[in-house]
PDB file of all heavy atoms in Angstrom:
ATOM      1  N   PRO A 102     208.377  44.182 170.017  1.00 47.00           N
ATOM      2  CA  PRO A 102     207.004  44.025 169.610  1.00 47.00           C
ATOM      3  C   PRO A 102     206.470  45.351 168.976  1.00 47.00           C
ATOM      4  O   PRO A 102     206.934  46.382 169.296  1.00 47.00           O
ATOM      5  CB  PRO A 102     206.277  43.720 170.963  1.00 47.00           C
ATOM      6  CG  PRO A 102     207.381  43.225 171.867  1.00 47.00           C
ATOM      7  CD  PRO A 102     208.623  43.897 171.392  1.00 47.00           C
ATOM      8  N   SER A 104     203.720  46.875 169.516  1.00 46.00           N
ATOM      9  CA  SER A 104     203.129  47.746 170.534  1.00 46.00           C
ATOM     10  C   SER A 104     204.230  48.660 171.158  1.00 46.00           C
ATOM     11  O   SER A 104     203.988  49.840 171.280  1.00 46.00           O
ATOM     12  CB  SER A 104     202.394  47.016 171.563  1.00 46.00           C
ATOM     13  OG  SER A 104     203.296  46.190 172.293  1.00 46.00           O
ATOM     14  N   LYS A 115     202.230  67.623 162.465  1.00 90.00           N
ATOM     15  CA  LYS A 115     201.579  68.893 162.166  1.00 90.00           C
ATOM     16  C   LYS A 115     200.152  68.905 162.591  1.00 90.00           C
ATOM     17  O   LYS A 115     199.433  67.938 162.510  1.00 90.00           O
ATOM     18  CB  LYS A 115     201.685  69.120 160.638  1.00 90.00           C
ATOM     19  CG  LYS A 115     203.147  69.450 160.097  1.00 90.00           C
ATOM     20  CD  LYS A 115     203.008  69.653 158.571  1.00 90.00           C
ATOM     21  CE  LYS A 115     204.400  69.843 158.008  1.00 90.00           C
ATOM     22  NZ  LYS A 115     204.330  70.097 156.529  1.00 90.00           N
ATOM     23  N   GLY A 120     189.288  76.083 159.237  1.00 96.00           N
ATOM     24  CA  GLY A 120     188.268  77.039 159.130  1.00 96.00           C
ATOM     25  C   GLY A 120     187.711  77.468 160.507  1.00 96.00           C
ATOM     26  O   GLY A 120     188.010  76.914 161.526  1.00 96.00           O
ATOM     27  N   ALA A 129     192.760  70.069 161.537  1.00 97.00           N
ATOM     28  CA  ALA A 129     193.110  68.767 161.151  1.00 97.00           C
ATOM     29  C   ALA A 129     194.558  68.485 161.570  1.00 97.00           C
ATOM     30  O   ALA A 129     195.313  69.401 161.986  1.00 97.00           O
ATOM     31  CB  ALA A 129     193.019  68.595 159.601  1.00 97.00           C
ATOM     32  N   SER A 150     194.848  78.573 185.094  1.00 87.00           N
ATOM     33  CA  SER A 150     193.653  77.741 185.152  1.00 87.00           C
ATOM     34  C   SER A 150     193.428  77.154 183.718  1.00 87.00           C
ATOM     35  O   SER A 150     193.907  77.719 182.761  1.00 87.00           O
ATOM     36  CB  SER A 150     192.450  78.538 185.542  1.00 87.00           C
ATOM     37  OG  SER A 150     192.121  79.574 184.598  1.00 87.00           O
ATOM     38  N   GLU A 151     192.732  76.047 183.674  1.00 90.00           N
ATOM     39  CA  GLU A 151     192.395  75.351 182.442  1.00 90.00           C
ATOM     40  C   GLU A 151     191.005  74.840 182.409  1.00 90.00           C
ATOM     41  O   GLU A 151     190.569  74.179 183.441  1.00 90.00           O
ATOM     42  CB  GLU A 151     193.447  74.209 182.244  1.00 90.00           C
ATOM     43  CG  GLU A 151     193.275  73.432 180.978  1.00 90.00           C
ATOM     44  CD  GLU A 151     194.389  72.329 180.921  1.00 90.00           C
ATOM     45  OE1 GLU A 151     195.573  72.723 180.736  1.00 90.00           O
ATOM     46  OE2 GLU A 151     194.062  71.151 181.053  1.00 90.00           O
ATOM     47  N   ALA A 161     188.839  59.863 162.870  1.00 96.00           N
ATOM     48  CA  ALA A 161     189.330  60.689 161.728  1.00 96.00           C
ATOM     49  C   ALA A 161     190.514  61.500 162.152  1.00 96.00           C
ATOM     50  O   ALA A 161     190.921  61.552 163.371  1.00 96.00           O
ATOM     51  CB  ALA A 161     188.177  61.614 161.339  1.00 96.00           C
ATOM     52  N   LEU A 166     184.713  71.740 166.261  1.00 97.00           N
ATOM     53  CA  LEU A 166     184.103  72.005 167.570  1.00 97.00           C
ATOM     54  C   LEU A 166     182.955  72.985 167.367  1.00 97.00           C
ATOM     55  O   LEU A 166     183.154  74.106 166.841  1.00 97.00           O
ATOM     56  CB  LEU A 166     185.161  72.606 168.552  1.00 97.00           C
ATOM     57  CG  LEU A 166     184.660  72.913 169.932  1.00 97.00           C
ATOM     58  CD1 LEU A 166     184.375  71.604 170.645  1.00 97.00           C
ATOM     59  CD2 LEU A 166     185.610  73.763 170.696  1.00 97.00           C
ATOM     60  N   ILE A 188     199.556  54.004 173.760  1.00 91.00           N
ATOM     61  CA  ILE A 188     199.280  55.476 173.535  1.00 91.00           C
ATOM     62  C   ILE A 188     200.611  56.103 173.127  1.00 91.00           C
ATOM     63  O   ILE A 188     201.703  55.918 173.774  1.00 91.00           O
ATOM     64  CB  ILE A 188     198.680  56.182 174.757  1.00 91.00           C
ATOM     65  CG1 ILE A 188     197.315  55.498 175.085  1.00 91.00           C
ATOM     66  CG2 ILE A 188     198.636  57.635 174.559  1.00 91.00           C
ATOM     67  CD1 ILE A 188     196.777  56.053 176.379  1.00 91.00           C
ATOM     68  N   PRO A 204     183.079  93.115 165.696  1.00 94.00           N
ATOM     69  CA  PRO A 204     183.380  94.382 166.350  1.00 94.00           C
ATOM     70  C   PRO A 204     182.142  95.138 166.739  1.00 94.00           C
ATOM     71  O   PRO A 204     181.022  94.891 166.241  1.00 94.00           O
ATOM     72  CB  PRO A 204     184.097  95.204 165.262  1.00 94.00           C
ATOM     73  CG  PRO A 204     184.620  94.145 164.325  1.00 94.00           C
ATOM     74  CD  PRO A 204     183.582  93.079 164.326  1.00 94.00           C
ATOM     75  N   ILE A 223     187.577 107.279 162.118  1.00 93.00           N
ATOM     76  CA  ILE A 223     186.579 106.282 162.527  1.00 93.00           C
ATOM     77  C   ILE A 223     187.252 105.308 163.525  1.00 93.00           C
ATOM     78  O   ILE A 223     188.433 104.932 163.399  1.00 93.00           O
ATOM     79  CB  ILE A 223     186.159 105.440 161.316  1.00 93.00           C
ATOM     80  CG1 ILE A 223     185.751 106.378 160.152  1.00 93.00           C
ATOM     81  CG2 ILE A 223     185.027 104.483 161.592  1.00 93.00           C
ATOM     82  CD1 ILE A 223     185.730 105.689 158.815  1.00 93.00           C
ATOM     83  N   VAL A 224     186.550 104.873 164.558  1.00 93.00           N
ATOM     84  CA  VAL A 224     187.068 103.971 165.600  1.00 93.00           C
ATOM     85  C   VAL A 224     185.986 102.961 165.836  1.00 93.00           C
ATOM     86  O   VAL A 224     184.822 103.119 165.571  1.00 93.00           O
ATOM     87  CB  VAL A 224     187.408 104.737 166.890  1.00 93.00           C
ATOM     88  CG1 VAL A 224     188.578 105.716 166.616  1.00 93.00           C
ATOM     89  CG2 VAL A 224     186.251 105.499 167.494  1.00 93.00           C
ATOM     90  N   LYS A 233     187.064  84.842 178.915  1.00 92.00           N
ATOM     91  CA  LYS A 233     188.184  83.923 179.290  1.00 92.00           C
ATOM     92  C   LYS A 233     188.852  83.373 178.055  1.00 92.00           C
ATOM     93  O   LYS A 233     188.161  82.864 177.179  1.00 92.00           O
ATOM     94  CB  LYS A 233     187.683  82.796 180.167  1.00 92.00           C
ATOM     95  CG  LYS A 233     188.743  81.858 180.636  1.00 92.00           C
ATOM     96  CD  LYS A 233     188.185  80.825 181.622  1.00 92.00           C
ATOM     97  CE  LYS A 233     189.279  79.911 182.168  1.00 92.00           C
ATOM     98  NZ  LYS A 233     188.773  78.916 183.089  1.00 92.00           N
ATOM     99  N   VAL A 258     193.563  97.114 158.202  1.00 97.00           N
ATOM    100  CA  VAL A 258     194.307  97.828 159.224  1.00 97.00           C
ATOM    101  C   VAL A 258     194.609  96.901 160.362  1.00 97.00           C
ATOM    102  O   VAL A 258     193.928  95.894 160.615  1.00 97.00           O
ATOM    103  CB  VAL A 258     193.637  99.111 159.670  1.00 97.00           C
ATOM    104  CG1 VAL A 258     193.459 100.086 158.550  1.00 97.00           C
ATOM    105  CG2 VAL A 258     192.234  98.768 160.237  1.00 97.00           C
ATOM    106  N   THR A 269     182.414 113.682 151.824  1.00 89.00           N
ATOM    107  CA  THR A 269     180.974 113.476 151.675  1.00 89.00           C
ATOM    108  C   THR A 269     180.535 112.386 152.620  1.00 89.00           C
ATOM    109  O   THR A 269     181.349 111.667 153.242  1.00 89.00           O
ATOM    110  CB  THR A 269     180.649 113.000 150.204  1.00 89.00           C
ATOM    111  OG1 THR A 269     181.408 111.734 149.990  1.00 89.00           O
ATOM    112  CG2 THR A 269     181.163 114.036 149.232  1.00 89.00           C
ATOM    113  N   LYS A 287     202.581  77.558 158.029  1.00 93.00           N
ATOM    114  CA  LYS A 287     202.812  78.956 158.072  1.00 93.00           C
ATOM    115  C   LYS A 287     201.490  79.675 158.592  1.00 93.00           C
ATOM    116  O   LYS A 287     200.384  79.239 158.313  1.00 93.00           O
ATOM    117  CB  LYS A 287     203.097  79.498 156.620  1.00 93.00           C
ATOM    118  CG  LYS A 287     204.375  78.986 156.081  1.00 93.00           C
ATOM    119  CD  LYS A 287     204.669  79.536 154.660  1.00 93.00           C
ATOM    120  CE  LYS A 287     205.987  79.030 154.111  1.00 93.00           C
ATOM    121  NZ  LYS A 287     206.234  79.526 152.745  1.00 93.00           N
ATOM    122  N   TYR A 293     187.999  84.938 159.424  1.00 97.00           N
ATOM    123  CA  TYR A 293     187.238  86.227 159.507  1.00 97.00           C
ATOM    124  C   TYR A 293     186.035  86.056 160.408  1.00 97.00           C
ATOM    125  O   TYR A 293     185.387  85.049 160.455  1.00 97.00           O
ATOM    126  CB  TYR A 293     186.743  86.629 158.114  1.00 97.00           C
ATOM    127  CG  TYR A 293     187.822  87.308 157.254  1.00 97.00           C
ATOM    128  CD1 TYR A 293     188.370  86.503 156.226  1.00 97.00           C
ATOM    129  CD2 TYR A 293     188.218  88.579 157.404  1.00 97.00           C
ATOM    130  CE1 TYR A 293     189.430  87.083 155.422  1.00 97.00           C
ATOM    131  CE2 TYR A 293     189.181  89.127 156.569  1.00 97.00           C
ATOM    132  CZ  TYR A 293     189.774  88.376 155.626  1.00 97.00           C
ATOM    133  OH  TYR A 293     190.740  88.946 154.821  1.00 97.00           O
ATOM    134  N   TRP A 296     180.520  90.653 159.763  1.00 96.00           N
ATOM    135  CA  TRP A 296     180.559  92.094 159.485  1.00 96.00           C
ATOM    136  C   TRP A 296     179.631  92.833 160.526  1.00 96.00           C
ATOM    137  O   TRP A 296     178.652  92.274 160.955  1.00 96.00           O
ATOM    138  CB  TRP A 296     180.002  92.446 158.157  1.00 96.00           C
ATOM    139  CG  TRP A 296     180.895  92.112 156.957  1.00 96.00           C
ATOM    140  CD1 TRP A 296     180.813  91.004 156.143  1.00 96.00           C
ATOM    141  CD2 TRP A 296     182.050  92.848 156.491  1.00 96.00           C
ATOM    142  NE1 TRP A 296     181.811  91.043 155.186  1.00 96.00           N
ATOM    143  CE2 TRP A 296     182.554  92.170 155.414  1.00 96.00           C
ATOM    144  CE3 TRP A 296     182.674  94.079 156.920  1.00 96.00           C
ATOM    145  CZ2 TRP A 296     183.738  92.673 154.678  1.00 96.00           C
ATOM    146  CZ3 TRP A 296     183.737  94.514 156.264  1.00 96.00           C
ATOM    147  CH2 TRP A 296     184.285  93.862 155.173  1.00 96.00           C
ATOM    148  N   THR A 297     179.966  94.007 160.888  1.00 96.00           N
ATOM    149  CA  THR A 297     179.094  94.807 161.682  1.00 96.00           C
ATOM    150  C   THR A 297     177.881  95.264 160.809  1.00 96.00           C
ATOM    151  O   THR A 297     177.917  95.129 159.605  1.00 96.00           O
ATOM    152  CB  THR A 297     179.782  96.109 162.213  1.00 96.00           C
ATOM    153  OG1 THR A 297     180.251  96.863 161.062  1.00 96.00           O
ATOM    154  CG2 THR A 297     180.924  95.754 163.107  1.00 96.00           C
ATOM    155  N   VAL A 365     172.645 134.902 162.890  1.00 89.00           N
ATOM    156  CA  VAL A 365     172.782 134.209 164.176  1.00 89.00           C
ATOM    157  C   VAL A 365     173.101 135.235 165.282  1.00 89.00           C
ATOM    158  O   VAL A 365     173.654 136.298 164.916  1.00 89.00           O
ATOM    159  CB  VAL A 365     173.818 133.068 164.170  1.00 89.00           C
ATOM    160  CG1 VAL A 365     173.393 132.006 163.223  1.00 89.00           C
ATOM    161  CG2 VAL A 365     175.182 133.616 163.862  1.00 89.00           C
ATOM    162  N   VAL A 369     178.035 133.560 170.790  1.00 84.00           N
ATOM    163  CA  VAL A 369     177.693 132.188 171.131  1.00 84.00           C
ATOM    164  C   VAL A 369     178.486 131.164 170.311  1.00 84.00           C
ATOM    165  O   VAL A 369     179.002 131.554 169.287  1.00 84.00           O
ATOM    166  CB  VAL A 369     176.177 131.858 170.890  1.00 84.00           C
ATOM    167  CG1 VAL A 369     175.354 132.772 171.735  1.00 84.00           C
ATOM    168  CG2 VAL A 369     175.822 132.118 169.428  1.00 84.00           C
ATOM    169  N   LEU A 371     178.636 127.977 167.844  1.00 85.00           N
ATOM    170  CA  LEU A 371     177.669 127.461 166.890  1.00 85.00           C
ATOM    171  C   LEU A 371     178.237 126.242 166.109  1.00 85.00           C
ATOM    172  O   LEU A 371     179.479 126.128 165.971  1.00 85.00           O
ATOM    173  CB  LEU A 371     177.309 128.502 165.862  1.00 85.00           C
ATOM    174  CG  LEU A 371     176.750 129.871 166.369  1.00 85.00           C
ATOM    175  CD1 LEU A 371     176.652 130.875 165.273  1.00 85.00           C
ATOM    176  CD2 LEU A 371     175.334 129.579 166.969  1.00 85.00           C
ATOM    177  N   TYR A 384     169.151 111.186 155.987  1.00 92.00           N
ATOM    178  CA  TYR A 384     170.166 111.042 157.082  1.00 92.00           C
ATOM    179  C   TYR A 384     170.315 112.286 157.874  1.00 92.00           C
ATOM    180  O   TYR A 384     170.375 113.373 157.244  1.00 92.00           O
ATOM    181  CB  TYR A 384     171.483 110.583 156.387  1.00 92.00           C
ATOM    182  CG  TYR A 384     171.474 109.365 155.574  1.00 92.00           C
ATOM    183  CD1 TYR A 384     171.173 109.455 154.231  1.00 92.00           C
ATOM    184  CD2 TYR A 384     171.759 108.175 156.172  1.00 92.00           C
ATOM    185  CE1 TYR A 384     171.166 108.290 153.452  1.00 92.00           C
ATOM    186  CE2 TYR A 384     171.788 107.016 155.339  1.00 92.00           C
ATOM    187  CZ  TYR A 384     171.465 107.089 153.984  1.00 92.00           C
ATOM    188  OH  TYR A 384     171.507 105.921 153.209  1.00 92.00           O
TER     189      TYR A 384
END
Side-chain angles (χ1 to χ4, degrees):
S104 60
K115 290 180 182 179
S150 67
E151 180 178 292
L166 182 69
I188 298 175
I223 310 163
V224 296
K233 185 176 181 180
V258 294
T269 62
K287 296 181 179 180
Y293 285 101
W296 289 102
T297 60
V365 296
V369 298
L371 303 171
Y384 301 88

